[in-house]
Amino acid sequence: MPETTPANAPEPATPPKQPSLVKTRIRQLTTPWWRLVWLIGGLVWAVVFNVIYVTTGGTEEWWGVASVIPIALLLVDVLRIERMERTAEQKRKAKLKL
């Protein structure tokens, strides 16, 4: 007996949701735990050194430069992690194309 009902059309595949950029950045800055400690310590370091710089009348200019060192190092580490993730994603995509 032939089937006379039409076949259901397949539903279009929905692409996987990409996490928001803000959530990704927060995750990169706060995981693992030591990176969160580094961020908080860097902010405290920056405030202390900037207060010292301002209270000395801005005569010792190296205080201002020294205040941003921990945050700059943290951002370099985050950029390193992001680059590694991007490279891994490109390798995954290249592997799928083969």
Side-chain angles (χ1 to χ4, degrees):
M1 183 158 131
E3 183 68 37
T4 57
T5 57
N8 291 338
E11 293 185 21
T14 57
K17 268 189 164 178
Q18 294 288 340
S20 79
L21 186 60
V22 174
K23 286 183 181 179
T24 302
R25 295 285 183 228
I26 290 172
R27 181 185 55 83
Q28 288 175 338
L29 286 171
T30 58
T31 51
W33 65 269
W34 57 265
R35 203 174 286 143
L36 176 62
V37 171
W38 191 359
L39 176 64
I40 293 169
L43 292 174
V44 169
W45 172 284
V47 168
V48 167
F49 273 65
N50 278 308
V51 166
I52 292 171
Y53 176 71
V54 169
T55 57
T56 60
T59 56
E60 299 292 329
E61 293 160 358
W62 65 272
W63 287 107
V65 175
S67 70
V68 297
I69 290 172
I71 303 244
L73 292 175
L74 176 64
L75 293 177
V76 166
D77 184 55
V78 168
L79 289 173
R80 179 186 63 86
I81 296 296
E82 184 178 303
R83 183 175 172 199
M84 287 179 7
E85 288 175 354
R86 191 177 311 128
T87 303
E89 181 68 25
Q90 288 173 350
K91 286 181 182 178
R92 230 181 343 264
K93 286 181 180 179
K95 198 174 192 179
L96 288 174
K97 287 183 181 179
L98 293 177

